[in-house]
Amino acid sequence: QVQLVESGGGSVQAGGSLRLSCTTSGTTSSRYWMGWFRQAPGKEREGIAAIYIGGGNTYYASSVKGRFTISPDNAKNTIYLQMNSLKPEDTAMYYCAADSAEFIYNIFAPGSYHYWGQGTQVTVSS
């Protein structure tokens, strides 16, 4: 059973930084997709960053490109989301997700991922 556990959320002032972590367990493949999503109250879940573990390419939504960085630590089965220059509109519950498919048509669509973490809250104050 694949399990994902996020950590690192918290409260920060605008312009600050946070680093989220997502540790996976139960994976049997060395190649799989990992994504970061967020969901603000009353809004749909939004894909913001993705990486293909074993391939290395990273992908970002326009809303976070240049400010957020997704990176893996394969030895720890962990991916990180470094978030810099945070804005109040970044306030949301952040989730990591995983899927073993070799090809995903839309890496930012929540339905493309089978496995999800429980989420970690990020609050950015102005």
Side-chain angles (χ1 to χ4, degrees), residues 48-71:
I48 58 173
I51 185 170
Y52 186 58
I53 302 299
N57 288 347
T58 57
Y59 305 87
Y60 299 94
S62 58
S63 57
V64 305
K65 194 170 186 178
R67 299 188 298 125
F68 292 10
T69 302
I70 186 172
S71 62

Side-chain angles (χ1 to χ4, degrees), residues 1-4 27 96-100 112-117:
Q1 179 74 9
V2 176
Q3 293 186 323
L4 288 72
T27 56
C96 66
D99 198 275
S100 59
S112 296
Y113 295 82
H114 278 87
Y115 306 104
W116 290 85

Side-chain angles (χ1 to χ4, degrees), residues 58-118:
T58 57
Y59 305 87
Y60 299 94
S62 58
S63 57
V64 305
K65 194 170 186 178
R67 299 188 298 125
F68 292 10
T69 302
I70 186 172
S71 62
D73 184 335
N74 294 332
K76 296 181 178 180
N77 289 330
T78 298
I79 62 167
Y80 302 99
L81 186 68
Q82 177 66 44
M83 305 186 295
N84 298 328
S85 302
L86 283 162
K87 306 175 182 179
E89 51 264 43
D90 294 318
T91 295
M93 185 71 79
Y94 283 69
Y95 300 89
C96 66
D99 198 275
S100 59
E102 182 175 355
F103 174 78
I104 292 181
Y105 181 72
N106 185 346
I107 58 174
F108 292 142
S112 296
Y113 295 82
H114 278 87
Y115 306 104
W116 290 85
Q118 81 288 351

